[in-house]
Amino acid sequence: MYIAQAFKGLHEWWRYIIGILIIFLAVVIGQMPFTLAVLFKTVSDGGNAFGMTEAQMMTVLEPNLNLFLMLLSFAAGLVGVFIVAKYLHKQSIVSLTTARDKIDWKRFWFAFILWGFVSTSFIFLDYFLSPEDYVLNFKLVPFIILCVIAIALIPLQTSFEEYLFRGYLMQGMGVITKNKWVPLLTTSVVFGLLHIANPEVKQLGYIVMVYYIGTGLFLGIATLMDEGLELALGFHAANNLFTALLVTADWTALQTHSVFKDTSLPGAAGFMDVFMPVFVIFPVVLFVFSKKYNWNNWKEKLFGTVEAPIIESENITNN
């Protein structure tokens, strides 16, 4: 059982409190180059560096430099998660990733290729249905630089989020609460709420939080049903990577030298923006996963109890 992998390490509740603080500190340290660069550029241009919103900070630097510096904080956070797991919890990266004996990279690549194909298809479909909403944004040299940055760092960004929410926090809350539904729902809601400062929320309205929380729930279900992070890691990496390379907009968090730029200004998010992915597309993807990997016993895997392995209980008794 995936959550029970935490029992292989030190899992007292206070270790998770300290671990979260260390991970947060790692993210802050990783964000310092971006913050300093934005402040320096703003002051150099004669602007006011104080009181800037996150959306305003995203537009100060050249897009490729902005993306590189922004993603450093996530890379630092991922290092923080691994350090906390290894030294504070004495837990291996494998047991933080999966209940299998080793990480199944075939699962990662299946989810990555599947969602890469699906998400790319939706982008091109929307382009052909509404070409007036797009302009060609392609410039060879900036795009090549974007590819290098995105391929190197976006998987680290998405892996940090997966290891933190579907890995570290889900396992930690599971061994503390002794059930699965509390960590599943809690990590999904927190994952969604941490996106509330994104410029997409301001443009589309708070209804878009249904998409963020729904995405967290989808990834959490995939993790628990498959007893590992591999599918979630592949899906999330493909989602962010192909989006960054193919399309950008003035009102999105990722400002890149992508192939296309969406010039439309959507109002309140509608069915296609929010509800269709969460209530139609994601369930279909889960169905595909379930058939390929023979998922069963959904009730137990999503709502069952979390118990320490018998071997550990015997050791405690003997001691």
Side-chain angles (χ1 to χ4, degrees), residues 31 34-61 66 197 202:
Q31 193 174 17
F34 171 76
T35 303
L36 292 174
V38 169
L39 293 178
F40 178 79
K41 182 68 165 57
T42 303
V43 172
S44 298
D45 293 343
N48 182 8
F50 299 97
M52 296 177 64
T53 64
E54 182 178 353
Q56 291 172 328
M57 294 181 69
M58 293 292 182
T59 62
V60 173
L61 303 174
N66 179 82
K202 181 179 180 181

Side-chain angles (χ1 to χ4, degrees), residues 17-37:
I17 301 298
I18 296 175
I20 291 171
L21 293 177
I22 294 174
I23 295 168
F24 175 76
L25 179 61
V27 172
V28 171
I29 294 173
Q31 193 174 17
M32 288 179 63
F34 171 76
T35 303
L36 292 174

